[in-house]
Amino acid sequence: MTTDTRLLDLDARVPQTAPYADIEGVRAYDLGMRRSALMAYKRPTDRIMAHVRDGMTDLVEVGFNTGLLSLHVAGKLPHLAVSGVEENQNLVDVAEDNLTLAVWANTEGDVEFELAKLSRLPFPDDSADIVFSFSSLHRWRRPVETLKECARICKPDGLVIIEDINRHAEEGHITFILQFVKEGGDEFMRSLQSAYCREEAVDLLGQAGLADWHVVEEDLGLVISSRPIEPVSM
Amino acid sequence: MSAVTIAVVQMESKLGRHTANMRRAERYVAEAVGRGATLVCLPEAFLTSGNILEVADVAVPIPGPETDRLGELARDANIHLVAGLLERGDDGAYYSTSVLFGPDGTLVGRYRRVHCHELESRYLSSGSDYPVFDVEFGRVGLLQGYDINFPEAAREYYRRGVDMLVCSALVPEMFGYVANLRLLARAVDTECVIAFASGIGTNLYAGFGYMGCSQVVADPLFLEAEQFDFVDGDERMVFLESGEGVGVVEVDMERMRRYRKSATLRADLQPATYWRSLEVAGAPDAGERK
């Protein structure tokens, strides 16, 4: 379908009020992701894997949602510690349940999940080899502070990779996703409305004193990184 | 030996669980054999599910340890066996491939899927041949699910005189309704029996399910002659809607061939008129209107 005007009302950012307010909603979201989102998680996983080097010890995920990406990455990198931080108690509870199942299944991944403010990460300066975040930035309450924190905990030769949806992605990418998410369409659109566009992300970095970081548009997503990185092909 | 007892296996293959998928396939083969099957058909990519995004990690060489095991299964049960595998070719390309084993366990042949969906073709290469294999119950051709959309593929086998097509499939459920329509049409188009062994389960990458509907179909007019019941609508001799399981049916291929001799339309074909260059035929290209 082609059209001259945008079908979707995505001009201005509409922050979400209290997402994931009840545990049942979070469980339903988590189950939907587990059943259908491996494709969406593949790209950030590949991107992280592409930057793992010998001698690395610690990865940190900022805003782990229900823990799926940390678990997925940790299972592929059992020799690295993966620490996740999330500030929503319901998300933490469901992620802990997912971790419990991983423990039952004797997964070799070394994962821990923690409840903490994303604007004050519970890690020392220069302690993480890779700091990553996926599909979380649009929910950050104090994004400028959290960006500063990502920079603070990342080792000097480390890497920060923050991926999220791009509110101003081409409509074709958005409608492509909508045909798959079916009953989750409304939720997806609300998330998209609360997401940043490229210019807004550049502005946030500027406010955080990180004007030398990079923001790239990629299909439906925005990729923010502390240094230039190669795009990952799907 | 013109009678063949065909079993189509409908199973769910899980991502990243090759060993368990093989083990469960073995159980279904044993169940089919216990019910008298002499030809057992497994779905497309039964070992890996449709994991084309990681095809470089999960594809197997043919021959290789996986086909050795399938050959053993065929030999131990004294059956013909067809299975779909993601293949890592000697040429460095990847294919969705069907393999056929004989009752002595030998790999009789393979078919590399010719038609690939646009979204698949970044990961999979297309085969280019429609090989046929003469086994004890007749001439067999191999197809895979997506090929059912292309009458040309079925007719290539028709030209080669197949008695049976074995189609290993893993078809997204949104295409199920149309695939079911086309499958019956292909059976009539090819004047042969089609065994359709179709996977089920969920694609965790994109959240759609697979259609299942494993079945064995034949030209309804042949079945009327064969079964003397003159009731339309029994062209599906076996039909498994959803869930895992094994469908089994015995077909007398010799009777099928006798019937076909009397009823075939082959003599009325006009091959000189088909697939001519449109320029020569003075016809407009698709999409053009004159």
Side-chain angles (χ1 to χ4, degrees):
Chain A
M1 190 164 60
T2 56
T3 165
D4 294 336
T5 55
R6 287 184 78 90
L7 294 170
L8 310 165
D9 180 18
L10 294 166
D11 206 26
R13 180 168 183 259
V14 184
Q16 277 179 291
T17 51
Y20 308 123
D22 72 281
I23 188 89
E24 287 316 311
V26 174
R27 289 198 195 289
Y29 158 82
D30 175 64
L31 194 55
M33 295 305 262
R34 279 191 270 152
R35 285 177 174 165
S36 68
L38 203 48
M39 177 91 82
Y41 278 67
K42 188 176 188 316
R43 188 179 278 183
T45 302
D46 288 350
R47 210 185 306 272
I48 293 160
M49 301 289 290
H51 292 95
V52 171
R53 300 284 173 265
D54 284 348
M56 287 189 172
T57 53
D58 287 271
L59 309 189
V60 168
E61 182 172 15
V62 178
F64 54 66
N65 291 308
T66 59
L68 297 178
L69 182 59
S70 276
L71 287 164
H72 193 59
V73 168
K76 289 178 180 273
L77 299 166
H79 56 290
L80 293 178
V82 180
S83 306
V85 174
E86 182 55 75
E87 59 188 359
N88 174 305
Q89 184 67 55
N90 288 332
L91 290 172
V92 175
D93 289 347
V94 175
E96 288 287 356
D97 285 345
N98 286 337
L99 177 55
T100 300
L101 184 59
V103 170
W104 273 84
N106 297 304
T107 185
E108 293 184 349
D110 177 5
V111 186
E112 58 172 348
F113 294 132
E114 230 174 307
L115 180 72
K117 279 201 169 73
L118 299 189
S119 51
R120 203 165 64 226
L121 298 175
F123 305 108
D125 296 3
D126 304 336
S127 58
D129 294 287
I130 299 177
V131 178
F132 64 95
S133 177
F134 176 60
S135 194
S136 173
L137 168 66
H138 65 278
R139 290 190 295 102
W140 293 358
R141 278 182 270 190
R142 300 174 61 194
V144 173
E145 296 306 312
T146 304
L147 287 166
K148 285 181 183 171
E149 281 291 275
C150 291
R152 178 184 67 77
I153 67 169
C154 189
K155 290 180 183 175
D157 59 346
L159 175 66
V160 179
I161 313 172
I162 298 162
E163 300 190 37
D164 201 2
I165 40 181
N166 172 8
R167 194 176 77 254
H168 287 175
E170 279 179 32
E171 228 161 54
H173 294 304
I174 297 168
T175 48
F176 180 79
I177 297 291
L178 281 173
Q179 71 181 342
F180 282 109
V181 293
K182 298 185 186 96
E183 64 276 2
D186 287 348
E187 191 182 341
F188 171 73
M189 287 308 293
R190 276 197 302 276
S191 300
L192 191 59
Q193 281 186 313
S194 66
Y196 297 93
C197 65
R198 186 178 182 283
E199 295 72 22
E200 290 162 345
V202 168
D203 180 55
L204 292 176
L205 289 170
Q207 292 181 54
L210 301 168
D212 59 333
W213 284 20
H214 300 262
V215 186
V216 175
E217 292 179 291
E218 192 180 73
D219 295 347
L220 187 71
L222 283 181
V223 184
I224 299 171
S225 59
S226 56
R227 52 186 163 83
I229 52 178
E230 290 292 307
V232 174
S233 67
M234 279 300 283
Chain B
M1 256 305 284
S2 72
V4 57
T5 302
I6 306 165
V8 283
V9 172
Q10 180 156 304
M11 62 180 280
E12 173 176 358
S13 301
K14 286 193 155 49
L15 284 180
R17 294 288 172 269
H18 307 184
T19 308
N21 292 336
M22 178 66 93
R23 202 167 48 235
R24 289 172 46 258
E26 290 178 16
R27 282 209 296 269
Y28 284 119
V29 170
E31 180 186 333
V33 170
R35 291 167 59 185
T38 54
L39 164 68
V40 180
C41 314
L42 294 169
E44 179 180 355
F46 86 94
L47 204 59
T48 53
S49 190
N51 194 359
I52 54 169
L53 294 177
E54 295 179 301
V55 69
D57 302 324
V58 303
V60 299
I62 298 174
E66 291 76 15
T67 54
D68 289 352
R69 180 65 194 131
L70 291 167
E72 255 174 57
L73 287 179
R75 189 180 63 240
D76 291 352
N78 193 36
I79 54 168
H80 289 90
L81 176 65
V82 174
L85 295 165
L86 293 179
E87 178 194 2
R88 181 170 71 243
D90 291 340
D91 54 359
Y94 302 100
Y95 302 92
S96 188
T97 300
S98 286
V99 282
L100 167 66
F101 299 88
D104 59 355
T106 52
L107 178 58
V108 176
R110 83 181 76 176
Y111 162 73
R112 290 171 166 172
R113 172 144 58 87
V114 169
H115 300 96
C116 287
H117 188 276
E118 171 197 8
L119 295 174
E120 287 181 309
S121 50
R122 297 176 55 182
Y123 307 96
L124 294 179
S125 299
S126 290
S128 51
D129 301 316
Y130 301 100
V132 295
F133 309 103
D134 288 319
V135 300
E136 61 190 26
F137 55 81
R139 181 163 291 181
V140 177
L142 304 176
L143 273 180
Q144 293 206 322
Y146 190 57
D147 292 320
I148 289 294
N149 294 300
F150 301 89
E152 293 80 2
R155 295 290 274 191
E156 283 300 314
Y157 281 117
Y158 175 70
R159 289 178 60 198
R160 291 159 175 73
V162 293
D163 299 313
M164 184 191 298
L165 285 169
V166 177
C167 181
S168 293
L170 190 65
V171 177
E173 62 195 349
M174 51 276 210
F175 307 123
Y177 182 80
V178 172
N180 269 320
L181 288 177
R182 286 183 151 146
L183 194 59
L184 293 178
R186 296 304 156 254
V188 181
D189 289 343
T190 51
E191 299 176 355
C192 78
V193 173
I194 302 182
F196 182 73
S198 176
I200 56 170
T202 304
N203 179 310
L204 301 180
Y205 283 108
F208 56 79
Y210 293 110
M211 73 179 271
C213 299
S214 296
Q215 52 201 292
V216 181
V217 296
D219 180 343
L221 292 175
F222 156 62
L223 292 175
E224 284 182 19
E226 166 80 357
Q227 298 174 353
F228 307 108
D229 61 0
F230 304 106
V231 176
D232 275 342
D234 59 1
E235 57 277 352
R236 291 191 164 100
M237 295 179 277
V238 163
F239 187 69
L240 303 170
E241 286 192 32
S242 57
E244 295 192 302
V246 180
V248 181
V249 66
E250 184 180 0
V251 182
D252 187 332
M253 297 304 286
E254 194 50 48
R255 288 183 66 150
M256 205 278 297
R257 283 187 285 269
R258 274 208 304 277
Y259 161 79
R260 193 169 58 188
K261 220 174 200 160
S262 66
T264 183
L265 308 182
R266 190 177 289 266
D268 302 327
L269 283 168
Q270 298 290 352
T273 67
Y274 310 134
W275 287 104
R276 296 157 64 200
S277 131
L278 292 180
E279 243 165 79
V280 172
D285 279 329
E288 277 186 29
R289 301 180 66 164
K290 288 213 164 168

